[in-house]
Amino acid sequence: MRDCLRGAYEMHVHTSPDVTARKCGDLELARRFRGAGLAGALIKCHYADTAARAALLNEQFAQLHFAGGVTLNNSVGGLNPEAVAASGKMGGRIVWFPTMDSRSYQEFRKQNGTSGVDSSGCIDVLDGRGNLIPEALAVLETAKRYKMLVGTGHVSAAEGLALVRAGAKVGCQVILTHADNPADVYTTDQQREAAALGAIVEHCYFTTYYKRTPIETIAAQIWAVGVERVILSTDFGQPQSPYSDEGLSQYADLLAAQGFSNAELGMMFRDTPARLLGFER
């Protein structure tokens, strides 16, 4: 494993228990990270809060740091500030805006031929005039109160940028969730705009591993935005995907071949994630 990954954090990984099959559980992830020399992870679930799970891992693996949070899909009441507050009180470090129940995401699935798509329960972030709805603003205010990060989830780029602009006014740290993913892709100019407003741009190995976004495209977007405004993760957890630690290593190798130095990779894999999660040493 490259030196840039010693003490690195995985900022986007799905583990079990979950409502869908996952590559491994929380405990196996922690054991693998300990053996690989990684520092910890931000655990994500589309349908349930992971703050308590992270707290239990931290009790069992004192040398590692885990964090969790809540995703605002219908299972927690959608854009529900009370769910955000509850997560924050349990130590949740992030709130993700809707993912699987985002209207934009469901429309993307429908356009790409996914069967059984039902848009009746989809969650909107903007009103008919393109403004953030009051519930979205209340979520941002609650996230600010509990010092939680804000992930854009699977909302569209237009919705995500609206969250970035509002978040900048409120004082929230917003992360563009897998900004290169075709389901919610942000153009390079949109990524630059978000970064200029203080947002962090996330790139996940998932899109490159599954041949949806070439590594050359990822590299060009990182160079355009600046390594200091980027974090790198995997978005793994699918049974057919590599383990998260394997994915991080593969991603680092591919980006090194694109010309990124160990120091630059260390910033995106380790330093900025540690700062965002409050785990700076």
Side-chain angles (χ1 to χ4, degrees):
M1 181 172 286
R2 291 180 175 273
D3 288 342
C4 63
L5 290 177
R6 299 296 173 189
Y9 289 88
E10 163 67 279
M11 292 291 285
H12 194 145
V13 62
H14 298 269
T15 50
S16 60
D18 204 341
V19 300
T20 189
R22 291 301 181 192
K23 182 78 171 181
C24 69
D26 293 338
L27 292 174
E28 185 178 1
L29 180 83
R31 294 186 188 108
R32 292 187 65 94
F33 275 35
R34 182 174 59 190
L38 297 168
L42 177 58
I43 298 172
K44 184 176 183 180
C45 179
H46 293 297
Y47 302 109
D49 196 317
T50 57
R53 287 163 54 183
L56 290 172
L57 285 175
N58 287 331
E59 287 185 3
Q60 297 177 70
F61 298 87
Q63 69 275 54
L64 300 177
H65 296 108
F66 291 93
V70 63
T71 307
L72 300 181
N73 287 313
N74 287 320
S75 55
V76 300
L79 302 183
N80 180 5
E82 292 302 320
V84 181
S87 184
K89 290 174 183 177
M90 284 195 296
R93 290 293 301 124
I94 188 168
V95 50
W96 288 278
F97 271 77
T99 55
M100 311 307 284
D101 295 333
S102 159
R103 184 176 302 280
S104 173
Y105 180 68
Q106 289 299 321
E107 289 177 351
F108 171 82
R109 295 179 70 223
K110 184 176 182 180
Q111 292 167 6
N112 284 270
T114 303
S115 60
V117 175
D118 180 10
S119 60
S120 60
C122 289
I123 301 171
D124 294 301
V125 175
L126 304 179
D127 62 22
R129 295 175 295 177
N131 299 316
L132 286 175
I133 63 175
E135 293 87 346
L137 292 170
V139 165
L140 292 176
E141 293 283 359
T142 307
K144 168 63 176 177
R145 187 181 318 133
Y146 290 96
K147 297 180 173 61
M148 298 171 75
L149 305 167
V150 174
T152 55
H154 293 184
V155 303
S156 69
E159 293 171 305
L161 285 174
L163 290 171
V164 169
R165 296 177 189 123
K169 293 179 180 178
V170 170
C172 292
Q173 176 61 73
V174 180
I175 298 173
L176 296 190
T177 306
H178 43 51
D180 58 90
N181 192 306
D184 53 270
V185 64
Y186 294 76
T187 67
T188 299
D189 285 343
Q190 288 173 325
Q191 292 179 36
R192 282 178 174 148
E193 178 186 346
L197 289 168
I200 297 292
V201 178
E202 178 192 47
H203 290 289
C204 296
Y205 184 42
F206 179 97
T207 54
T208 296
Y209 182 80
Y210 287 102
K211 303 186 185 308
R212 299 178 185 180
T213 310
I215 194 66
E216 294 82 4
T217 299
I218 303 294
Q221 292 179 358
I222 295 173
W223 291 126
V225 170
V227 295
E228 70 280 358
R229 306 305 305 175
V230 172
I231 57 172
L232 301 170
S233 56
T234 68
D235 194 9
F236 280 171
Q238 308 76 25
Q240 70 275 19
S241 296
Y243 284 99
S244 171
D245 54 292
E246 296 172 334
L248 290 172
S249 182
Q250 293 172 21
Y251 206 15
D253 287 343
L254 289 174
L255 288 167
Q258 292 295 311
F260 291 95
S261 68
N262 272 331
E264 290 167 331
L265 292 172
M267 179 178 291
M268 295 183 284
F269 279 113
R270 181 187 60 240
D271 301 338
T272 300
R275 173 176 61 79
L276 291 174
L277 295 175
F279 294 146
E280 289 178 301
R281 303 190 185 215

